[in-house]
Amino acid sequence: DTGVSQDPRHKITKRGQNVTFRCDPISEHNRLYWYRQTLGQGPEFLTYFQNEAQLEKSRLLSDRFSAERPKGSFSTLEIQRTEQGDSAMYLCASSSTGTGSYNEQFFGPGTRLTVL
Amino acid sequence: AQSVSQHNHHVILSEAASLELGCNYSYGGTVNLFWYVQYPGQHLQLLLKYFSGDPLVKGIKGFEAEFIKSKFSFNLRKPSVQWSDTAEYFCAVNSNTDKLIFGTGTRLQVFP
C-alpha cells in the first residue's frame, strides 16, 4: 500500500498523559498536514509542513501540541498533558507541489484518540 | 475568514433517486474547491475538485459538481444514487494558503 499511513490507529489514554502519533506520507509528497476531526464535524486544520519546515499552525493548536517532521519524511504529533477535550480523530494528509497536483491532499486512516 | 456551509446534515434516499448536496463558501478571492467522501470504516477520499476552467466538474463514480461563482456555491450532484453511495460527504475550500477548510459534512443514507 503506497498511501498515507498513520500509527497507532487507536489510542486510549488517561487524562494528563502524553501521547505521540506518527504519520508516513506518500513517499514523493513534500507537504504534510495534520487535521483533527470530532464527532459530527468536518476535519479542522492544525498545522502543515513543506519538507521539514512547519509553515502554518492553527490557533486551535495549543502549547500542549507540537508537531515535527525532522527529515522531511514522516511526521509526529505530540499532545502533552492530555485533556478529555482532546478526544478526536487525528488525520494526516500529504500532497505534492508538483505541476498538476497542487493542493490535492491524500488522507490517511487517522488515529482515534480517547482520553479517559 | 474562510468558511464552508453544508446545509444538508443528513439525507436519506432510495436507490435510483437523484442527489444534490449543497455547499456554500465565504471568501472573496480565488478559491479551489473540493468534495471528499468518507465511506463507512474508510478514510477520506477525493471525489472531485475544481481549480479553474469549466465550472462543471466531473468526478469519480458518476458524481459531478457545479461551481457558481456568483452564488459562492459548489453543489454536488448525482443523477441516480446507489446503495454503495452511502457515506459522509465533505465540501472543502482553500485559497492562498494550503490548508483545507471543511464543511460539517452531510451523511447520506441510500436504501435499496
Side-chain angles (χ1 to χ4, degrees):
Chain A
D1 189 337
T2 56
V4 178
S5 61
Q6 293 187 244
D7 184 69
R9 296 291 304 276
H10 303 273
K11 178 71 177 177
I12 299 173
T13 192
K14 293 183 179 178
R15 188 174 48 150
Q17 298 294 303
N18 299 343
V19 294
T20 300
F21 311 140
R22 177 182 169 122
C23 171
D24 286 88
I26 294 171
S27 59
E28 63 269 26
H29 284 182
N30 58 343
R31 288 193 171 180
L32 186 149
Y33 313 79
W34 286 99
Y35 293 84
R36 179 172 64 189
Q37 185 177 17
T38 53
L39 201 61
Q41 300 296 317
E44 293 176 300
F45 170 79
L46 294 178
T47 188
Y48 90 96
F49 295 84
Q50 178 159 315
N51 301 314
E52 65 277 6
Q54 190 172 19
L55 297 187
E56 187 173 351
K57 289 172 60 173
S58 166
R59 286 170 290 178
L60 294 174
L61 212 63
S62 78
D63 292 344
R64 297 184 297 106
F65 288 70
S66 62
E68 293 183 341
R69 194 182 183 200
K71 296 182 180 179
S73 56
F74 73 91
S75 175
T76 57
L77 177 68
E78 182 183 15
I79 309 174
Q80 296 182 327
R81 305 181 303 281
T82 53
E83 302 173 356
Q84 289 184 325
D86 297 332
S87 296
M89 178 75 86
Y90 289 83
L91 298 170
C92 177
S94 70
S95 73
S96 170
T97 53
T99 302
S101 59
Y102 183 65
N103 284 344
E104 183 171 341
Q105 296 179 24
F106 295 83
F107 282 80
T111 294
R112 182 169 295 283
L113 173 66
T114 302
V115 182
L116 302 176
Chain B
Q2 294 175 328
S3 66
V4 177
S5 298
Q6 291 184 245
H7 319 295
N8 319 100
H9 298 292
H10 190 190
V11 173
I12 301 173
L13 295 173
S14 299
E15 274 192 322
S18 64
L19 170 72
E20 181 161 1
L21 301 182
C23 173
N24 287 88
Y25 65 93
S26 67
Y27 184 71
T30 302
V31 293
N32 303 314
L33 295 155
F34 308 83
W35 276 96
Y36 279 83
V37 61
Q38 190 166 26
Y39 297 104
Q42 297 188 27
H43 57 273
L44 278 166
Q45 301 172 42
L46 184 66
L47 257 186
L48 49 78
K49 60 187 184 288
Y50 172 80
F51 289 167
S52 63
D54 189 344
L56 185 61
V57 178
K58 294 194 184 297
I60 60 172
K61 303 187 180 186
F63 286 91
E64 65 179 30
E66 185 175 11
F67 170 51
I68 302 179
K69 189 174 181 180
S70 60
K71 294 185 178 180
F72 297 91
S73 70
F74 190 56
N75 292 354
L76 181 71
R77 299 194 293 249
K78 185 171 184 178
S80 176
V81 295
Q82 301 172 313
W83 176 79
S84 58
D85 293 325
T86 294
E88 189 142 21
Y89 293 81
F90 295 94
C91 181
V93 62
N94 69 5
S95 59
N96 56 338
T97 67
D98 209 37
K99 63 187 179 188
L100 286 170
I101 307 297
F102 284 87
T104 53
T106 297
R107 184 179 169 213
L108 173 65
Q109 282 185 290
V110 180
F111 289 95

